[in-house]
Amino acid sequence: MKLKFTKMHGCGNDYIYFNCFEQQVADPEALSIRLSDRHFGIGGDGIVLICPSDVADAKMRMFNADGSEGKMCGNATRCIGKYMYEHGLISKPEMTLETLSGIKILKMTEQDGKIASVRVDMGKAILKPSEIPTRYEGDTAVSVPLTVDGTEYAVTCVSMGNPHCIVFVDQDVNTLDLPKIGPSFENHDMFPERINTEFIRVIDDHTLQMRVWERGSGETLACGTGACAAAVASVLNGYCPKGEDITIHLIGGDLNIRYTDEAVFLTGPATTVFEGSIEL
């Protein structure tokens, strides 16, 4: 059996995409584990299925490198928009995308017949701890204490369809030993469904530096929902203004986030790396 795929990335957050309008993918959990391996597979942070939808232009299913299914991925949504437009599955540079976190609206910027960037309406940020979910009580979890491996951190928890724990640090985030501390955050018992963790240095009131540890994938070069959660947390903690563009520097590139009362908007690039087929 052969499957056609397209390797794409958003700021280095790379996935293997399958057009399920034209083919069926069996056992995507096991396939993600196999293909995500960067030495013995294609290599990526997981796989993404672009599927038909009864309620939108397409439906996204995404699976992490450990085979677990994710509810939402901001970088993957942008790549799907680019794929749909450039492969003629939609005729306008605007589309709706069904996800496990609801329907997202994508608006694309075209340049020379190609999609250069995509803006995604990510919906409202979820701040209630029980809905994120975390085991904190109350209406929000903003700058609350969390002890990890004997060190106490002040963390802010936000969901953008998947759970995030944001930690503000005073140092260059590139100096952090993320492979050591990341798993301890991810699997902390305060987070019943595990957690994505963003480590943020505030550069100024419109600029952040970020590294991310993603549940199920480990460190990735970028995380769209994580960037959104970081921007929301920066506003809630008084570092950045609401309703204005915030630039977030990630290892893989820059993302632009705007947090308003109505929604969080994510804008960034989407890149096709290569296409191919794999025999299973």
Side-chain angles (χ1 to χ4, degrees):
M1 178 183 178
K2 282 189 176 182
L3 288 174
K4 295 181 180 179
F5 69 88
T6 302
K7 180 74 180 293
M8 305 181 77
H9 76 84
C11 290
N13 190 195
D14 59 336
Y15 291 91
I16 305 153
Y17 292 77
F18 294 95
N19 179 349
C20 294
F21 285 80
E22 300 177 350
Q23 60 190 349
Q24 298 298 313
V25 175
D27 196 0
E29 295 87 352
L31 188 66
S32 188
I33 295 172
R34 174 182 173 183
L35 298 186
S36 297
D37 191 292
R38 296 187 184 276
H39 298 287
F40 299 101
I42 296 171
D45 292 324
I47 70 170
V48 174
L49 310 185
I50 308 173
C51 307
S53 169
D54 294 329
V55 294
D57 292 314
K59 177 181 179 180
M60 175 180 77
R61 294 190 69 194
M62 59 86 59
F63 297 85
N64 297 306
D66 68 352
S68 61
E69 185 168 6
K71 290 184 177 181
M72 182 57 190
C73 176
N75 290 317
T77 61
R78 298 199 315 278
C79 288
I80 288 175
K82 178 181 177 71
Y83 183 96
M84 293 280 292
Y85 183 77
E86 293 182 358
H87 285 77
L89 295 172
I90 55 173
S91 57
K92 297 187 299 182
E94 182 174 329
M95 66 169 286
T96 54
L97 181 65
E98 179 187 356
T99 76
L100 290 178
S101 296
I103 296 176
K104 309 302 178 186
I105 300 172
L106 284 62
K107 294 184 178 181
M108 291 157 267
T109 300
E110 181 185 359
Q111 186 175 359
D112 298 326
K114 300 291 185 181
I115 299 302
S117 68
V118 182
R119 185 190 195 201
V120 185
D121 179 344
M122 301 287 286
K124 286 191 173 184
I126 298 169
L127 303 179
K128 190 174 179 63
S130 62
E131 297 176 2
I132 291 173
T134 79
R135 292 194 167 94
Y136 289 107
E137 298 180 350
D139 294 329
T140 62
V142 178
S143 195
V144 293
L146 181 72
T147 300
V148 180
D149 294 338
T151 299
E152 184 173 296
Y153 298 85
V155 304
T156 297
C157 300
V158 177
S159 173
M160 291 304 308
N162 48 11
H164 293 273
C165 172
I166 297 90
V167 185
F168 292 96
V169 299
D170 294 329
Q171 67 199 88
D172 184 332
V173 296
N174 291 323
T175 65
L176 296 172
D177 189 357
L178 214 56
K180 179 180 179 180
I181 61 177
S184 298
F185 276 89
E186 177 182 355
N187 298 292
H188 198 285
D189 60 11
M190 285 298 290
F191 309 115
E193 297 180 8
R194 296 186 295 165
I195 201 80
N196 303 283
T197 310
E198 287 74 35
F199 298 88
I200 304 296
R201 178 171 69 101
V202 178
I203 297 176
D204 58 42
D205 61 1
H206 288 82
T207 315
L208 308 174
Q209 180 198 26
M210 168 177 148
R211 278 178 76 189
V212 57
W213 183 269
E214 288 200 53
R215 62 175 181 171
S217 294
E219 182 172 15
T220 58
L221 300 185
C223 177
T225 58
C228 291
V232 171
S234 72
V235 171
L236 296 176
N237 283 275
Y239 295 119
C240 298
K242 181 184 278 191
E244 298 183 17
D245 289 344
I246 299 171
T247 299
I248 301 187
H249 299 311
L250 304 108
I251 294 175
D254 292 349
L255 292 173
N256 182 278
I257 314 296
R258 178 174 290 219
Y259 171 39
T260 71
D261 291 329
E262 292 75 31
V264 182
F265 297 95
L266 162 67
T267 303
T271 303
T272 299
V273 184
F274 62 89
E275 296 185 332
S277 63
I278 185 165
E279 186 170 352
L280 302 178

